Amino acid sequence: MKEAQDAPRVGIHFPPGIPDKVSEEVSRIAQIFTVDGESLRRITDHFVRELDRGLTHEDSDIPMNVTWAMKYPTGYETGQYLTIDMGGTNIRVCNVILTEEKGGYEITQSKFKLPRGLKTGTADELWNYVADRVAEFLVEHDLHPGEEKLPLAFTFSYPVTQENIRHGVLQRWTKGFDIAGVEGHDVVAQLEEALEVRNVPVRVVALVNDTTGTLIASAYRDPQVKIGSIFGTGCNSAYLERCGRVPKIAGYELPDDQPVAINTEYGAFDNSHQVLPRCQFDVEVDRTSPRPGQQTYEKMVAGLYVGEIARLILIHLHDTSGFLEGADISRLRRVNSMESSCVSKMEEDGSATESVMAETRAILNEQFGIEPTLQELRVCCLIGEIVCTRAARLYACGIAAICKKEGLETGRVGVDGSTFEKLFRFKTRAAAALREIMDWPDDVEDLVTFVQAEDGSGIGAALIAALSSDCPHGPARVS
Ligand code: GLC
């Protein structure tokens, strides 16, 4: 079996001038962060079993949420929909018109920055803010409803239990959100109440996860897309399952071959700590997060945590091996002070042969007040490489698990999320790891490939709303 060249280098070649103690410790950490092909395959096998268990009534770490999006678009969907996407930094409101022309649409949009503090505020503050932005959008774009309120598709990218497409009880906040009074409640009802109070003439017709929106929007353009995936602040994927293979909805008595989109919520994979190679830095990331014990896989892989892992390693090197000796690293000690873009930049900078690593130097200087030597900069680059490589390789396990579970031998994965495009060599590394897990012969091109996704929370959400319009409340529950 050919091992990917993108596995982190364990036998690291250190440039001269790096103290032995630092290089020894970096080598040890590199070893811990190395996930070889055999481990990738073992993790994936466990992942497949957990995906299956999540579809039953058995306890599983992975929720496998039924989304009630029940078909792929044909390209002939029509209608006008408002959409809202509540992301980690912004809220985006769109007016989407699906036109008569096959696959055609028009879209206008506005973005608003989420105010600081909202992520840890109260439910009222959150919904009032969202409802106000929708109201503003209607005025700004001169949108008036007719007899009926305007239909709205709401992309809410957190785990919810849905009884139908326009309902969703928040299971738990993820991605660092910690807003009181929402967990355990129907977020559609909460948003509609805030809209009602303000007389905003809008009704929610679909609650959509970003992965499902991505899947539907990408498949609309390219029928070879079989998985919708997000690799950004969080990490998660959705795919279309047959109802007959989802024992936990047997009570709805749906035809066995009826498709239904499953939002895996596989960021929660291995919450029971059976298979992932967690180390002291992962334990620390979890401990200081608002929901310790949750989202184990996501915390080792996704954009929100990559910077934090690298930051903890740098501090560890300082405290144990005399790295950045004499420097005042108090600003670096602040939890969550390093963004994933910084880690990516460090690695990218270090790969340039004649580089003086000007960008890394500038970032460390501006953001943390540190003046590293050239050797210290090189160590930062290595740490970036070690952390980003592990993230990409573990990310491939989730995709491989869906492929294996579904018997998907060829196809495309539509991936969206800021970090996917920006993280240095992420796509190449994930593809190489996928190849190792799937064991494709050397002379065969990649059979499952990653492609940039279409707009899931705008077009995808509008399509899901249109596709659900003949069955707005989802199937009736039989038992
Ligand atoms: C987190 C959320 C999930 C979302 C993902 C990507 O894992 O729980 O719903 O799809 O982030 O945004």
Side-chain angles (χ1 to χ4, degrees):
M1 159 109 15
K2 190 171 135 240
E3 296 292 313
Q5 340 96 321
D6 277 307
R9 294 174 283 158
V10 176
I12 299 172
H13 171 69
F14 287 95
I18 295 181
D20 285 354
K21 250 182 127 186
V22 175
S23 50
E24 273 161 28
E25 195 53 15
V26 173
S27 299
R28 194 184 70 84
I29 292 169
Q31 180 81 51
I32 295 172
F33 272 69
T34 300
V35 193
D36 62 14
E38 201 188 315
S39 307
L40 288 178
R41 288 183 287 277
R42 192 168 40 84
I43 293 166
T44 305
D45 289 345
H46 185 66
F47 220 134
V48 174
R49 286 193 293 275
E50 286 289 300
L51 292 174
D52 262 326
R53 281 163 60 93
L55 295 175
T56 68
H57 295 283
E58 292 170 58
D59 265 357
S60 164
D61 287 334
I62 306 179
M64 301 297 271
N65 289 335
V66 176
T67 68
W68 304 114
M70 305 197 73
K71 46 190 156 177
Y72 277 129
T74 59
Y76 292 104
E77 291 68 29
T78 53
Q80 176 177 8
Y81 297 92
L82 287 179
T83 65
I84 316 177
D85 178 15
M86 205 187 93
T89 354
N90 294 308
I91 158 165
R92 183 169 74 125
V93 186
C94 304
N95 177 32
V96 182
I97 300 172
L98 303 171
T99 56
E100 300 284 335
E101 177 204 349
K102 184 168 192 247
Y105 61 81
E106 290 161 18
I107 183 165
T108 39
Q109 56 177 308
S110 298
K111 259 192 188 174
F112 308 90
K113 204 163 173 47
L114 282 185
R116 260 171 176 270
L118 202 76
K119 276 170 84 167
T120 49
T122 65
D124 278 350
E125 283 161 8
L126 170 70
W127 301 121
N128 291 345
Y129 180 80
V130 176
D132 282 342
R133 299 296 78 76
V134 177
E136 249 173 66
F137 184 84
L138 296 186
V139 173
E140 191 189 330
H141 295 272
D142 208 14
L143 294 167
H144 307 284
E147 300 269 283
E148 298 237 323
K149 290 180 173 179
L150 292 168
L152 171 86
F154 178 22
T155 302
F156 182 75
S157 304
Y158 305 89
V160 289
T161 307
Q162 293 190 266
E163 272 170 21
N164 58 60
I165 192 94
R166 54 173 316 278
H167 163 268
V169 174
L170 178 62
Q171 295 165 345
R172 80 197 73 82
W173 284 116
T174 55
K175 296 183 281 196
F177 271 67
D178 190 13
I179 303 174
V182 191
E183 283 167 320
H185 297 273
D186 177 11
V187 294
V188 174
Q190 291 195 337
L191 172 60
E192 283 193 328
E193 199 184 317
L195 291 165
E196 190 83 43
V197 170
R198 285 163 177 70
N199 276 324
V200 186
V202 163
R203 76 200 144 92
V204 180
V205 295
L207 184 70
V208 177
N209 186 262
D210 51 1
T211 54
T212 321
T214 294
L215 171 67
I216 299 299
S218 303
Y220 184 56
R221 277 297 163 94
D222 174 1
Q224 286 308 311
V225 172
K226 305 290 183 210
I227 298 174
S229 184
I230 304 287
F231 183 76
T233 310
C235 169
N236 186 20
S237 294
Y239 71 102
L240 234 56
E241 185 57 277
R242 274 160 287 157
C243 287
R245 293 176 44 157
V246 190
K248 66 185 181 185
I249 55 165
Y252 286 85
E253 292 189 355
L254 295 161
D256 278 359
D257 57 356
Q258 162 75 56
V260 65
I262 301 292
N263 160 23
T264 64
E265 285 295 335
Y266 68 34
F269 172 59
D270 209 30
N271 279 350
S272 51
H273 303 164
Q274 294 183 46
V275 69
L276 288 174
R278 289 174 88 229
C279 64
Q280 67 189 91
F281 306 108
D282 302 304
V283 172
E284 182 63 6
V285 165
D286 185 46
R287 193 185 65 79
T288 53
S289 71
R291 294 287 180 282
Q294 304 292 345
Q295 303 297 99
T296 299
Y297 175 67
E298 183 163 84
K299 285 173 180 163
M300 296 174 77
V301 172
L304 184 60
Y305 307 100
V306 163
E308 184 60 0
I309 298 171
R311 184 188 73 83
L312 289 170
I313 298 178
L314 295 180
I315 290 178
H316 168 83
L317 290 176
H318 174 269
D319 293 351
T320 60
S321 331
F323 176 64
L324 292 169
E325 190 135 58
D328 172 6
I329 64 156
S330 50
R331 276 161 70 187
L332 187 66
R333 286 197 190 274
R334 286 187 205 143
V335 176
N336 290 327
S337 55
M338 185 173 278
E339 294 193 356
S340 61
S341 56
C342 172
V343 183
S344 176
K345 189 47 75 189
M346 281 183 199
E347 194 194 346
E348 194 174 344
D349 229 8
S351 71
T353 37
E354 289 303 312
S355 165
V356 289
M357 287 174 278
E359 288 198 60
T360 306
R361 191 187 292 277
I363 294 175
L364 291 174
N365 195 260
E366 277 157 32
Q367 295 186 7
F368 304 105
I370 299 171
E371 303 262 4
T373 63
L374 192 59
Q375 276 77 14
E376 286 166 344
L377 283 172
R378 294 211 183 278
V379 170
C380 292
C381 297
L382 280 173
I383 300 304
E385 177 182 341
I386 289 166
V387 174
C388 295
T389 304
R390 187 187 72 163
R393 289 174 69 75
L394 289 179
Y395 170 76
C397 294
I399 301 297
I402 297 182
C403 294
K404 289 199 168 201
K405 178 183 150 22
E406 290 302 288
L408 203 77
E409 288 181 356
T410 60
R412 288 195 262 279
V413 183
V415 193
D416 204 351
S418 46
T419 328
F420 179 65
E421 284 301 325
K422 286 190 206 142
L423 213 59
F424 185 64
R425 295 183 71 192
F426 184 83
K427 191 169 158 184
T428 320
R429 286 177 173 151
L434 189 62
R435 169 169 277 278
E436 272 180 80
I437 302 169
M438 302 303 282
D439 203 6
W440 294 318
D442 285 351
D443 57 347
V444 168
E445 296 274 293
D446 290 354
L447 298 174
V448 176
T449 52
F450 298 103
V451 294
Q452 179 62 46
E454 300 292 329
D455 172 5
S457 62
I459 311 306
L463 283 167
I464 290 175
L467 289 167
S468 314
S469 60
D470 48 351
C471 181
H473 301 292
R477 189 175 198 128
V478 175
S479 63

